[in-house]
Amino acid sequence: IMAESVFSQLSLLAVIRDSHLWTAGGAIPQFLHDNFYFLMPRVLLPNKDSMLYIDNFSDLSPLGAFSGYAQGLIYFGYWLPFVYFVLGMVADWLARRASFSRMWSLVYVYFTCDFLFRIMRDGYIIPIKMLLDSLIVLGAIYFAELLFPSQRQIVSR
């Protein structure tokens, strides 16, 4: 874990040293493009990794790990602080919802304790996919509880 944490910063150092790798306005359309393709099931798009814009920068981190801050600079440029401001607003909104429901509490805890920290380590694409997958699983559980209310009483005993 320690080696991965140290080596992931190589990409950040490379992006900071070579300012021609990113623009002030970022690459927001490419960010949306990458998320669309990364969210596609591999069965439908087996070579989706080679279609990602961020894959053009894989040589910045020869040991595999890619800093989330480096990816943030590439995707968002000088808009990166604004992205974190928006993520803070989402966390605040979830915190207010968490006081009303256990389901919202679970989403809030996942968002703040996993999603936000994973961005720093894995960049933006992987955490977005994991968050979406988690929300789908939670939605399926919630839907199953609505369909089978008698089973809920058995489980809670």
Side-chain angles (χ1 to χ4, degrees):
I1 292 174
M2 182 64 160
E4 182 180 339
S5 298
V6 170
F7 293 138
S8 73
Q9 301 314 309
L10 293 175
S11 59
L12 179 59
L13 292 172
V15 168
I16 290 172
R17 280 190 200 129
D18 298 326
S19 60
H20 72 279
L21 294 174
W22 55 282
T23 63
I28 296 172
Q30 289 82 355
F31 171 72
L32 298 172
H33 170 272
D34 284 1
N35 275 294
F36 175 78
Y37 281 107
F38 197 74
L39 291 172
M40 295 288 284
R42 196 165 296 276
V43 173
L44 298 176
L45 204 59
N47 61 342
K48 66 181 179 180
D49 294 332
S50 64
M51 301 172 86
L52 300 178
Y53 172 74
I54 203 67
D55 193 49
N56 296 329
F57 302 95
S58 60
D59 60 325
L60 297 178
S61 188
L63 300 172
F66 202 93
S67 169
Y69 294 119
Q71 205 176 87
L73 284 172
I74 291 168
Y75 279 136
F76 305 114
Y78 289 137
W79 291 103
L80 185 59
F82 178 73
V83 170
Y84 276 94
F85 181 74
V86 169
L87 290 173
M89 288 181 3
V90 170
D92 179 60
W93 181 79
L94 288 171
R96 284 185 270 127
R97 296 293 176 271
S99 63
F100 299 113
S101 161
R102 287 185 303 166
M103 185 68 78
W104 283 110
S105 295
L106 187 59
V107 173
Y108 171 72
V109 167
Y110 181 81
F111 184 81
T112 57
C113 296
D114 186 61
F115 180 76
L116 293 177
F117 290 113
R118 193 173 295 275
I119 284 175
M120 291 183 278
R121 184 178 143 228
D122 295 331
Y124 291 82
I125 299 171
I126 293 170
I128 288 172
K129 181 176 176 139
M130 293 177 73
L131 179 65
L132 183 63
D133 290 347
S134 298
L135 291 175
I136 289 171
V137 168
L138 285 175
I141 292 169
Y142 183 73
F143 186 68
E145 285 184 348
L146 291 176
L147 284 177
F148 307 108
S150 62
Q151 299 299 320
R152 184 177 178 198
Q153 293 171 356
I154 293 171
V155 172
S156 64
R157 287 183 192 174

